[in-house]
Amino acid sequence: MHKILIADDEPDILEFISYNLRKDGYEVACAGDGKEALKIANTFLPDIIILDIMMPEMDGIETCQNLRKDPKFRDTMIMILTARGEDYSQIAGFDAGADDYVTKPIKPKVLISRIQALLRRSKNTAPEILGESDIIIDRDRYTVVISGEDHQLPRKEFELLALLVSKPGRVFTRHDILEMIWGNDVVVGDRTIDVHIRKLRERIGDDKIRTVKGIGYTFNS
């Protein structure tokens, strides 16, 4: 039985979602805000955490960031479920380490389908990265070593860099990147990829990631 933690400050939404998830066979725990979610997560150890953005005490973005700092939740799937559908909110969610971003309202069957997709993704093993001259991907500690210094990257930036470094010289198309990093079940725009590439270039240098116009990106070893 997979365990799901839901954090939302609206009792009606908590009751509605938890009822449908339990009916589908999931074990469910609920929290009314971000701080409570962090406490429950430490003992409940969920497979998936569903976070609303607008919550008292600690919002969903900050909660997601705090979860990703804890090694216990490094590989836990996190979904943002919110009424906010702006591009900048979605980018903030993914930058914080979310694996999926879903806008309310959503039908129970669709939500369960998204959850099942996250569980399938969590079973996939990432490629082994041995490293490259002055850039080394350390998956055990979830850090990137750049010129001998450790750097903590947001989860999606880390996964994107690891993907590019895994095969220097290979051109990864935008479709490749969306499918491998965000999955087929997550809808994100080209701007999201561009923002993540820009942030990576700021960290490792403009010359390391080359844009192949109209196709995608490649890592220069």
Side-chain angles (χ1 to χ4, degrees):
M1 182 182 292
H2 290 103
K3 297 192 290 186
I4 299 177
L5 169 61
I6 312 164
D8 198 301
D9 63 333
E10 297 186 41
D12 289 347
I13 291 179
L14 282 178
E15 182 179 356
F16 177 72
I17 295 176
S18 60
Y19 168 78
N20 282 281
L21 292 181
R22 290 188 178 109
K23 189 171 67 172
D24 211 62
Y26 295 98
E27 183 179 351
V28 181
C30 297
D33 58 62
K35 285 188 176 180
E36 185 182 9
L38 292 177
K39 292 179 181 178
I40 293 175
N42 276 293
T43 55
F44 187 58
L45 298 178
D47 299 291
I48 292 180
I49 300 173
I50 301 175
L51 301 171
D52 183 26
I53 287 184
M54 296 176 288
M55 295 188 292
E57 299 294 333
M58 183 183 294
D59 65 31
I61 300 298
E62 188 179 354
T63 305
C64 186
Q65 291 171 333
N66 277 279
L67 287 165
R68 289 304 185 211
K69 292 175 184 176
D70 189 330
K72 290 196 300 295
F73 305 109
R74 186 188 68 186
D75 298 318
T76 302
M77 291 305 214
I78 299 177
M79 174 191 292
I80 300 291
L81 178 62
T82 178
R84 301 186 63 167
E86 312 94 343
D87 286 349
Y88 65 84
S89 294
Q90 294 187 41
I91 291 171
F94 286 124
D95 280 351
D99 298 284
D100 198 0
Y101 192 104
V102 180
T103 54
K104 301 174 184 177
I106 184 171
K107 294 181 179 179
K109 288 184 178 180
V110 178
L111 177 60
I112 289 169
S113 177
R114 301 290 283 257
I115 288 170
Q116 290 171 343
L118 286 178
L119 290 171
R120 288 195 298 271
R121 285 173 56 194
S122 69
K123 296 177 183 177
N124 295 334
T125 56
E128 289 294 326
I129 308 300
L130 299 177
E132 184 275 346
S133 60
D134 57 345
I135 298 178
I136 300 172
I137 310 295
D138 188 335
R139 285 196 175 277
D140 289 336
R141 295 188 299 142
Y142 223 77
T143 60
V144 177
V145 182
I146 303 174
S147 299
E149 293 185 5
D150 285 359
H151 294 261
Q152 296 283 345
L153 273 61
R155 183 168 183 173
K156 291 303 178 186
E157 284 183 39
F158 178 90
E159 292 177 353
L160 178 54
L161 180 59
L163 175 65
L164 295 174
V165 174
S166 67
K167 295 185 178 178
R170 170 181 165 176
V171 178
F172 288 92
T173 66
R174 288 177 173 271
H175 176 77
D176 290 336
I177 293 171
L178 287 174
E179 182 176 341
M180 296 178 187
I181 304 301
W182 280 275
N184 287 325
D185 300 283
V186 182
V187 179
V188 297
D190 286 348
R191 184 166 175 265
T192 301
I193 298 177
D194 294 339
V195 169
H196 283 72
I197 291 290
R198 175 175 56 78
K199 289 185 176 180
L200 283 177
R201 283 174 168 157
E202 290 172 357
R203 295 177 185 275
I204 67 174
D206 291 340
D207 60 326
K208 289 293 184 182
I209 300 175
R210 180 170 64 88
T211 301
V212 181
K213 192 172 181 180
I215 300 176
Y217 300 94
T218 183
F219 183 82
N220 295 322
S221 57

PDB file of all heavy atoms in Angstrom, residues 142-174:
ATOM      1  N   TYR A 142      23.498  13.967  -3.579  1.00  0.00           N
ATOM      2  CA  TYR A 142      22.659  14.885  -4.354  1.00  0.00           C
ATOM      3  C   TYR A 142      23.302  16.260  -4.476  1.00  0.00           C
ATOM      4  O   TYR A 142      22.678  17.303  -4.293  1.00  0.00           O
ATOM      5  CB  TYR A 142      21.266  15.015  -3.731  1.00  0.00           C
ATOM      6  CG  TYR A 142      20.170  14.978  -4.767  1.00  0.00           C
ATOM      7  CD1 TYR A 142      19.784  13.777  -5.351  1.00  0.00           C
ATOM      8  CD2 TYR A 142      19.527  16.133  -5.185  1.00  0.00           C
ATOM      9  CE1 TYR A 142      18.792  13.728  -6.309  1.00  0.00           C
ATOM     10  CE2 TYR A 142      18.526  16.108  -6.140  1.00  0.00           C
ATOM     11  CZ  TYR A 142      18.162  14.893  -6.697  1.00  0.00           C
ATOM     12  OH  TYR A 142      17.179  14.850  -7.659  1.00  0.00           O
ATOM     13  N   THR A 143      24.593  16.253  -4.776  1.00  0.00           N
ATOM     14  CA  THR A 143      25.330  17.500  -4.947  1.00  0.00           C
ATOM     15  C   THR A 143      26.082  17.484  -6.273  1.00  0.00           C
ATOM     16  O   THR A 143      26.304  16.434  -6.875  1.00  0.00           O
ATOM     17  CB  THR A 143      26.358  17.721  -3.816  1.00  0.00           C
ATOM     18  OG1 THR A 143      27.280  16.630  -3.817  1.00  0.00           O
ATOM     19  CG2 THR A 143      25.686  17.818  -2.470  1.00  0.00           C
ATOM     20  N   VAL A 144      26.470  18.670  -6.709  1.00  0.00           N
ATOM     21  CA  VAL A 144      27.310  18.814  -7.892  1.00  0.00           C
ATOM     22  C   VAL A 144      28.624  19.435  -7.442  1.00  0.00           C
ATOM     23  O   VAL A 144      28.630  20.453  -6.740  1.00  0.00           O
ATOM     24  CB  VAL A 144      26.634  19.719  -8.945  1.00  0.00           C
ATOM     25  CG1 VAL A 144      27.557  19.915 -10.146  1.00  0.00           C
ATOM     26  CG2 VAL A 144      25.315  19.119  -9.403  1.00  0.00           C
ATOM     27  N   VAL A 145      29.728  18.802  -7.806  1.00  0.00           N
ATOM     28  CA  VAL A 145      31.046  19.319  -7.468  1.00  0.00           C
ATOM     29  C   VAL A 145      31.580  20.073  -8.687  1.00  0.00           C
ATOM     30  O   VAL A 145      31.809  19.487  -9.746  1.00  0.00           O
ATOM     31  CB  VAL A 145      32.008  18.187  -7.069  1.00  0.00           C
ATOM     32  CG1 VAL A 145      33.366  18.768  -6.669  1.00  0.00           C
ATOM     33  CG2 VAL A 145      31.427  17.360  -5.934  1.00  0.00           C
ATOM     34  N   ILE A 146      31.735  21.380  -8.551  1.00  0.00           N
ATOM     35  CA  ILE A 146      32.206  22.231  -9.642  1.00  0.00           C
ATOM     36  C   ILE A 146      33.551  22.819  -9.242  1.00  0.00           C
ATOM     37  O   ILE A 146      33.642  23.561  -8.263  1.00  0.00           O
ATOM     38  CB  ILE A 146      31.206  23.359  -9.954  1.00  0.00           C
ATOM     39  CG1 ILE A 146      29.827  22.774 -10.283  1.00  0.00           C
ATOM     40  CG2 ILE A 146      31.707  24.221 -11.100  1.00  0.00           C
ATOM     41  CD1 ILE A 146      28.748  23.816 -10.462  1.00  0.00           C
ATOM     42  N   SER A 147      34.569  22.435  -9.992  1.00  0.00           N
ATOM     43  CA  SER A 147      35.938  22.896  -9.694  1.00  0.00           C
ATOM     44  C   SER A 147      36.312  22.660  -8.239  1.00  0.00           C
ATOM     45  O   SER A 147      36.905  23.517  -7.576  1.00  0.00           O
ATOM     46  CB  SER A 147      36.080  24.382 -10.055  1.00  0.00           C
ATOM     47  OG  SER A 147      35.836  24.579 -11.431  1.00  0.00           O
ATOM     48  N   GLY A 148      35.933  21.490  -7.714  1.00  0.00           N
ATOM     49  CA  GLY A 148      36.309  21.107  -6.359  1.00  0.00           C
ATOM     50  C   GLY A 148      35.398  21.604  -5.265  1.00  0.00           C
ATOM     51  O   GLY A 148      35.578  21.262  -4.100  1.00  0.00           O
ATOM     52  N   GLU A 149      34.376  22.400  -5.606  1.00  0.00           N
ATOM     53  CA  GLU A 149      33.466  22.934  -4.596  1.00  0.00           C
ATOM     54  C   GLU A 149      32.084  22.296  -4.729  1.00  0.00           C
ATOM     55  O   GLU A 149      31.566  22.136  -5.834  1.00  0.00           O
ATOM     56  CB  GLU A 149      33.335  24.458  -4.736  1.00  0.00           C
ATOM     57  CG  GLU A 149      34.617  25.218  -4.419  1.00  0.00           C
ATOM     58  CD  GLU A 149      34.399  26.717  -4.444  1.00  0.00           C
ATOM     59  OE1 GLU A 149      33.234  27.148  -4.611  1.00  0.00           O
ATOM     60  OE2 GLU A 149      35.372  27.456  -4.304  1.00  0.00           O
ATOM     61  N   ASP A 150      31.483  21.933  -3.580  1.00  0.00           N
ATOM     62  CA  ASP A 150      30.141  21.351  -3.568  1.00  0.00           C
ATOM     63  C   ASP A 150      29.082  22.431  -3.786  1.00  0.00           C
ATOM     64  O   ASP A 150      29.159  23.525  -3.216  1.00  0.00           O
ATOM     65  CB  ASP A 150      29.868  20.661  -2.231  1.00  0.00           C
ATOM     66  CG  ASP A 150      30.592  19.328  -2.123  1.00  0.00           C
ATOM     67  OD1 ASP A 150      31.281  18.955  -3.085  1.00  0.00           O
ATOM     68  OD2 ASP A 150      30.460  18.670  -1.075  1.00  0.00           O
ATOM     69  N   HIS A 151      28.088  22.082  -4.611  1.00  0.00           N
ATOM     70  CA  HIS A 151      26.961  22.986  -4.851  1.00  0.00           C
ATOM     71  C   HIS A 151      25.660  22.197  -4.717  1.00  0.00           C
ATOM     72  O   HIS A 151      25.541  21.097  -5.259  1.00  0.00           O
ATOM     73  CB  HIS A 151      27.034  23.601  -6.251  1.00  0.00           C
ATOM     74  CG  HIS A 151      28.192  24.524  -6.450  1.00  0.00           C
ATOM     75  ND1 HIS A 151      28.086  25.891  -6.364  1.00  0.00           N
ATOM     76  CD2 HIS A 151      29.502  24.267  -6.724  1.00  0.00           C
ATOM     77  CE1 HIS A 151      29.271  26.446  -6.587  1.00  0.00           C
ATOM     78  NE2 HIS A 151      30.146  25.477  -6.803  1.00  0.00           N
ATOM     79  N   GLN A 152      24.708  22.769  -3.977  1.00  0.00           N
ATOM     80  CA  GLN A 152      23.383  22.181  -3.864  1.00  0.00           C
ATOM     81  C   GLN A 152      22.479  22.840  -4.898  1.00  0.00           C
ATOM     82  O   GLN A 152      22.291  24.051  -4.883  1.00  0.00           O
ATOM     83  CB  GLN A 152      22.815  22.405  -2.459  1.00  0.00           C
ATOM     84  CG  GLN A 152      23.590  21.718  -1.352  1.00  0.00           C
ATOM     85  CD  GLN A 152      23.318  20.232  -1.284  1.00  0.00           C
ATOM     86  OE1 GLN A 152      22.352  19.760  -1.875  1.00  0.00           O
ATOM     87  NE2 GLN A 152      24.167  19.497  -0.587  1.00  0.00           N
ATOM     88  N   LEU A 153      21.934  22.039  -5.810  1.00  0.00           N
ATOM     89  CA  LEU A 153      21.057  22.551  -6.851  1.00  0.00           C
ATOM     90  C   LEU A 153      19.619  22.144  -6.579  1.00  0.00           C
ATOM     91  O   LEU A 153      19.376  21.071  -6.009  1.00  0.00           O
ATOM     92  CB  LEU A 153      21.467  22.005  -8.224  1.00  0.00           C
ATOM     93  CG  LEU A 153      22.531  22.764  -9.031  1.00  0.00           C
ATOM     94  CD1 LEU A 153      23.836  22.821  -8.272  1.00  0.00           C
ATOM     95  CD2 LEU A 153      22.716  22.113 -10.402  1.00  0.00           C
ATOM     96  N   PRO A 154      18.651  22.974  -6.987  1.00  0.00           N
ATOM     97  CA  PRO A 154      17.260  22.523  -6.944  1.00  0.00           C
ATOM     98  C   PRO A 154      17.121  21.218  -7.738  1.00  0.00           C
ATOM     99  O   PRO A 154      17.870  20.974  -8.685  1.00  0.00           O
ATOM    100  CB  PRO A 154      16.496  23.669  -7.631  1.00  0.00           C
ATOM    101  CG  PRO A 154      17.356  24.865  -7.425  1.00  0.00           C
ATOM    102  CD  PRO A 154      18.770  24.356  -7.485  1.00  0.00           C
ATOM    103  N   ARG A 155      16.177  20.394  -7.356  1.00  0.00           N
ATOM    104  CA  ARG A 155      16.095  19.041  -7.899  1.00  0.00           C
ATOM    105  C   ARG A 155      16.050  19.002  -9.425  1.00  0.00           C
ATOM    106  O   ARG A 155      16.751  18.213 -10.060  1.00  0.00           O
ATOM    107  CB  ARG A 155      14.870  18.322  -7.332  1.00  0.00           C
ATOM    108  CG  ARG A 155      14.773  16.872  -7.816  1.00  0.00           C
ATOM    109  CD  ARG A 155      13.747  16.092  -7.055  1.00  0.00           C
ATOM    110  NE  ARG A 155      13.730  14.708  -7.504  1.00  0.00           N
ATOM    111  CZ  ARG A 155      13.024  13.773  -6.918  1.00  0.00           C
ATOM    112  NH1 ARG A 155      12.298  14.059  -5.869  1.00  0.00           N
ATOM    113  NH2 ARG A 155      13.030  12.527  -7.375  1.00  0.00           N
ATOM    114  N   LYS A 156      15.218  19.828 -10.043  1.00  0.00           N
ATOM    115  CA  LYS A 156      15.093  19.772 -11.501  1.00  0.00           C
ATOM    116  C   LYS A 156      16.366  20.246 -12.195  1.00  0.00           C
ATOM    117  O   LYS A 156      16.746  19.709 -13.236  1.00  0.00           O
ATOM    118  CB  LYS A 156      13.888  20.598 -11.972  1.00  0.00           C
ATOM    119  CG  LYS A 156      12.547  19.991 -11.579  1.00  0.00           C
ATOM    120  CD  LYS A 156      12.401  18.587 -12.117  1.00  0.00           C
ATOM    121  CE  LYS A 156      11.089  17.961 -11.686  1.00  0.00           C
ATOM    122  NZ  LYS A 156      10.979  16.543 -12.080  1.00  0.00           N
ATOM    123  N   GLU A 157      17.037  21.242 -11.631  1.00  0.00           N
ATOM    124  CA  GLU A 157      18.321  21.677 -12.192  1.00  0.00           C
ATOM    125  C   GLU A 157      19.335  20.540 -12.090  1.00  0.00           C
ATOM    126  O   GLU A 157      20.093  20.281 -13.030  1.00  0.00           O
ATOM    127  CB  GLU A 157      18.846  22.905 -11.445  1.00  0.00           C
ATOM    128  CG  GLU A 157      18.140  24.195 -11.809  1.00  0.00           C
ATOM    129  CD  GLU A 157      18.765  25.379 -11.091  1.00  0.00           C
ATOM    130  OE1 GLU A 157      20.005  25.419 -10.955  1.00  0.00           O
ATOM    131  OE2 GLU A 157      18.007  26.265 -10.648  1.00  0.00           O
ATOM    132  N   PHE A 158      19.341  19.857 -10.940  1.00  0.00           N
ATOM    133  CA  PHE A 158      20.266  18.743 -10.736  1.00  0.00           C
ATOM    134  C   PHE A 158      20.010  17.648 -11.771  1.00  0.00           C
ATOM    135  O   PHE A 158      20.942  17.136 -12.410  1.00  0.00           O
ATOM    136  CB  PHE A 158      20.102  18.183  -9.323  1.00  0.00           C
ATOM    137  CG  PHE A 158      20.986  17.004  -9.023  1.00  0.00           C
ATOM    138  CD1 PHE A 158      22.251  17.183  -8.486  1.00  0.00           C
ATOM    139  CD2 PHE A 158      20.551  15.715  -9.279  1.00  0.00           C
ATOM    140  CE1 PHE A 158      23.080  16.095  -8.218  1.00  0.00           C
ATOM    141  CE2 PHE A 158      21.363  14.617  -9.011  1.00  0.00           C
ATOM    142  CZ  PHE A 158      22.629  14.813  -8.485  1.00  0.00           C
ATOM    143  N   GLU A 159      18.750  17.255 -11.946  1.00  0.00           N
ATOM    144  CA  GLU A 159      18.414  16.176 -12.870  1.00  0.00           C
ATOM    145  C   GLU A 159      18.720  16.563 -14.316  1.00  0.00           C
ATOM    146  O   GLU A 159      19.172  15.727 -15.110  1.00  0.00           O
ATOM    147  CB  GLU A 159      16.944  15.798 -12.714  1.00  0.00           C
ATOM    148  CG  GLU A 159      16.635  15.147 -11.375  1.00  0.00           C
ATOM    149  CD  GLU A 159      15.164  14.846 -11.199  1.00  0.00           C
ATOM    150  OE1 GLU A 159      14.363  15.262 -12.070  1.00  0.00           O
ATOM    151  OE2 GLU A 159      14.807  14.210 -10.200  1.00  0.00           O
ATOM    152  N   LEU A 160      18.470  17.825 -14.655  1.00  0.00           N
ATOM    153  CA  LEU A 160      18.750  18.285 -16.010  1.00  0.00           C
ATOM    154  C   LEU A 160      20.252  18.275 -16.287  1.00  0.00           C
ATOM    155  O   LEU A 160      20.693  17.800 -17.348  1.00  0.00           O
ATOM    156  CB  LEU A 160      18.181  19.690 -16.206  1.00  0.00           C
ATOM    157  CG  LEU A 160      18.434  20.361 -17.566  1.00  0.00           C
ATOM    158  CD1 LEU A 160      17.975  19.474 -18.711  1.00  0.00           C
ATOM    159  CD2 LEU A 160      17.741  21.718 -17.629  1.00  0.00           C
ATOM    160  N   LEU A 161      21.047  18.767 -15.341  1.00  0.00           N
ATOM    161  CA  LEU A 161      22.497  18.758 -15.525  1.00  0.00           C
ATOM    162  C   LEU A 161      23.016  17.324 -15.601  1.00  0.00           C
ATOM    163  O   LEU A 161      23.862  17.004 -16.443  1.00  0.00           O
ATOM    164  CB  LEU A 161      23.177  19.506 -14.375  1.00  0.00           C
ATOM    165  CG  LEU A 161      24.711  19.581 -14.444  1.00  0.00           C
ATOM    166  CD1 LEU A 161      25.168  20.275 -15.723  1.00  0.00           C
ATOM    167  CD2 LEU A 161      25.267  20.289 -13.210  1.00  0.00           C
ATOM    168  N   ALA A 162      22.495  16.447 -14.726  1.00  0.00           N
ATOM    169  CA  ALA A 162      22.927  15.043 -14.737  1.00  0.00           C
ATOM    170  C   ALA A 162      22.609  14.388 -16.077  1.00  0.00           C
ATOM    171  O   ALA A 162      23.405  13.604 -16.604  1.00  0.00           O
ATOM    172  CB  ALA A 162      22.259  14.282 -13.595  1.00  0.00           C
ATOM    173  N   LEU A 163      21.472  14.726 -16.642  1.00  0.00           N
ATOM    174  CA  LEU A 163      21.092  14.164 -17.944  1.00  0.00           C
ATOM    175  C   LEU A 163      22.067  14.610 -19.029  1.00  0.00           C
ATOM    176  O   LEU A 163      22.565  13.787 -19.812  1.00  0.00           O
ATOM    177  CB  LEU A 163      19.673  14.607 -18.299  1.00  0.00           C
ATOM    178  CG  LEU A 163      19.165  14.192 -19.685  1.00  0.00           C
ATOM    179  CD1 LEU A 163      19.042  12.676 -19.789  1.00  0.00           C
ATOM    180  CD2 LEU A 163      17.831  14.869 -19.993  1.00  0.00           C
ATOM    181  N   LEU A 164      22.360  15.899 -19.067  1.00  0.00           N
ATOM    182  CA  LEU A 164      23.251  16.420 -20.106  1.00  0.00           C
ATOM    183  C   LEU A 164      24.668  15.881 -19.949  1.00  0.00           C
ATOM    184  O   LEU A 164      25.320  15.503 -20.927  1.00  0.00           O
ATOM    185  CB  LEU A 164      23.260  17.951 -20.060  1.00  0.00           C
ATOM    186  CG  LEU A 164      21.933  18.656 -20.390  1.00  0.00           C
ATOM    187  CD1 LEU A 164      22.050  20.152 -20.151  1.00  0.00           C
ATOM    188  CD2 LEU A 164      21.510  18.383 -21.827  1.00  0.00           C
ATOM    189  N   VAL A 165      25.152  15.813 -18.692  1.00  0.00           N
ATOM    190  CA  VAL A 165      26.515  15.349 -18.445  1.00  0.00           C
ATOM    191  C   VAL A 165      26.648  13.850 -18.717  1.00  0.00           C
ATOM    192  O   VAL A 165      27.738  13.356 -19.025  1.00  0.00           O
ATOM    193  CB  VAL A 165      26.934  15.678 -16.997  1.00  0.00           C
ATOM    194  CG1 VAL A 165      28.289  15.073 -16.652  1.00  0.00           C
ATOM    195  CG2 VAL A 165      26.999  17.191 -16.797  1.00  0.00           C
ATOM    196  N   SER A 166      25.534  13.116 -18.609  1.00  0.00           N
ATOM    197  CA  SER A 166      25.596  11.662 -18.793  1.00  0.00           C
ATOM    198  C   SER A 166      26.105  11.270 -20.173  1.00  0.00           C
ATOM    199  O   SER A 166      26.724  10.212 -20.331  1.00  0.00           O
ATOM    200  CB  SER A 166      24.220  11.042 -18.551  1.00  0.00           C
ATOM    201  OG  SER A 166      23.296  11.432 -19.552  1.00  0.00           O
ATOM    202  N   LYS A 167      25.860  12.113 -21.170  1.00  0.00           N
ATOM    203  CA  LYS A 167      26.314  11.802 -22.533  1.00  0.00           C
ATOM    204  C   LYS A 167      26.825  13.074 -23.202  1.00  0.00           C
ATOM    205  O   LYS A 167      26.112  13.705 -23.994  1.00  0.00           O
ATOM    206  CB  LYS A 167      25.189  11.176 -23.351  1.00  0.00           C
ATOM    207  CG  LYS A 167      24.760   9.808 -22.821  1.00  0.00           C
ATOM    208  CD  LYS A 167      23.723   9.147 -23.711  1.00  0.00           C
ATOM    209  CE  LYS A 167      23.357   7.771 -23.166  1.00  0.00           C
ATOM    210  NZ  LYS A 167      22.301   7.115 -23.983  1.00  0.00           N
ATOM    211  N   PRO A 168      28.065  13.485 -22.868  1.00  0.00           N
ATOM    212  CA  PRO A 168      28.627  14.700 -23.468  1.00  0.00           C
ATOM    213  C   PRO A 168      28.621  14.610 -24.990  1.00  0.00           C
ATOM    214  O   PRO A 168      28.946  13.570 -25.561  1.00  0.00           O
ATOM    215  CB  PRO A 168      30.060  14.720 -22.918  1.00  0.00           C
ATOM    216  CG  PRO A 168      30.019  13.902 -21.683  1.00  0.00           C
ATOM    217  CD  PRO A 168      29.001  12.833 -21.937  1.00  0.00           C
ATOM    218  N   GLY A 169      28.230  15.708 -25.621  1.00  0.00           N
ATOM    219  CA  GLY A 169      28.208  15.747 -27.073  1.00  0.00           C
ATOM    220  C   GLY A 169      26.887  15.331 -27.689  1.00  0.00           C
ATOM    221  O   GLY A 169      26.576  15.700 -28.819  1.00  0.00           O
ATOM    222  N   ARG A 170      26.083  14.573 -26.940  1.00  0.00           N
ATOM    223  CA  ARG A 170      24.777  14.190 -27.476  1.00  0.00           C
ATOM    224  C   ARG A 170      23.825  15.373 -27.393  1.00  0.00           C
ATOM    225  O   ARG A 170      23.788  16.092 -26.391  1.00  0.00           O
ATOM    226  CB  ARG A 170      24.195  13.008 -26.697  1.00  0.00           C
ATOM    227  CG  ARG A 170      22.732  12.744 -27.081  1.00  0.00           C
ATOM    228  CD  ARG A 170      22.106  11.611 -26.338  1.00  0.00           C
ATOM    229  NE  ARG A 170      20.657  11.630 -26.478  1.00  0.00           N
ATOM    230  CZ  ARG A 170      19.832  10.717 -25.997  1.00  0.00           C
ATOM    231  NH1 ARG A 170      20.314   9.681 -25.338  1.00  0.00           N
ATOM    232  NH2 ARG A 170      18.528  10.825 -26.170  1.00  0.00           N
ATOM    233  N   VAL A 171      23.052  15.556 -28.440  1.00  0.00           N
ATOM    234  CA  VAL A 171      22.047  16.612 -28.438  1.00  0.00           C
ATOM    235  C   VAL A 171      20.747  16.048 -27.862  1.00  0.00           C
ATOM    236  O   VAL A 171      20.167  15.120 -28.427  1.00  0.00           O
ATOM    237  CB  VAL A 171      21.801  17.164 -29.854  1.00  0.00           C
ATOM    238  CG1 VAL A 171      20.702  18.227 -29.811  1.00  0.00           C
ATOM    239  CG2 VAL A 171      23.088  17.745 -30.436  1.00  0.00           C
ATOM    240  N   PHE A 172      20.329  16.606 -26.747  1.00  0.00           N
ATOM    241  CA  PHE A 172      19.041  16.233 -26.158  1.00  0.00           C
ATOM    242  C   PHE A 172      17.991  17.213 -26.653  1.00  0.00           C
ATOM    243  O   PHE A 172      18.108  18.422 -26.433  1.00  0.00           O
ATOM    244  CB  PHE A 172      19.115  16.273 -24.630  1.00  0.00           C
ATOM    245  CG  PHE A 172      19.919  15.150 -24.033  1.00  0.00           C
ATOM    246  CD1 PHE A 172      21.272  15.312 -23.769  1.00  0.00           C
ATOM    247  CD2 PHE A 172      19.327  13.928 -23.739  1.00  0.00           C
ATOM    248  CE1 PHE A 172      22.020  14.275 -23.218  1.00  0.00           C
ATOM    249  CE2 PHE A 172      20.066  12.893 -23.190  1.00  0.00           C
ATOM    250  CZ  PHE A 172      21.411  13.060 -22.928  1.00  0.00           C
ATOM    251  N   THR A 173      16.992  16.697 -27.342  1.00  0.00           N
ATOM    252  CA  THR A 173      15.937  17.567 -27.848  1.00  0.00           C
ATOM    253  C   THR A 173      15.064  18.045 -26.687  1.00  0.00           C
ATOM    254  O   THR A 173      15.109  17.488 -25.580  1.00  0.00           O
ATOM    255  CB  THR A 173      15.047  16.823 -28.856  1.00  0.00           C
ATOM    256  OG1 THR A 173      14.323  15.777 -28.175  1.00  0.00           O
ATOM    257  CG2 THR A 173      15.892  16.226 -29.973  1.00  0.00           C
ATOM    258  N   ARG A 174      14.277  19.057 -26.961  1.00  0.00           N
ATOM    259  CA  ARG A 174      13.356  19.540 -25.930  1.00  0.00           C
ATOM    260  C   ARG A 174      12.390  18.436 -25.516  1.00  0.00           C
ATOM    261  O   ARG A 174      12.030  18.306 -24.345  1.00  0.00           O
ATOM    262  CB  ARG A 174      12.593  20.767 -26.437  1.00  0.00           C
ATOM    263  CG  ARG A 174      13.467  22.012 -26.531  1.00  0.00           C
ATOM    264  CD  ARG A 174      12.698  23.188 -27.113  1.00  0.00           C
ATOM    265  NE  ARG A 174      13.503  24.396 -27.048  1.00  0.00           N
ATOM    266  CZ  ARG A 174      13.525  25.227 -26.027  1.00  0.00           C
ATOM    267  NH1 ARG A 174      12.792  24.966 -24.960  1.00  0.00           N
ATOM    268  NH2 ARG A 174      14.286  26.302 -26.037  1.00  0.00           N
TER     269      ARG A 174
END
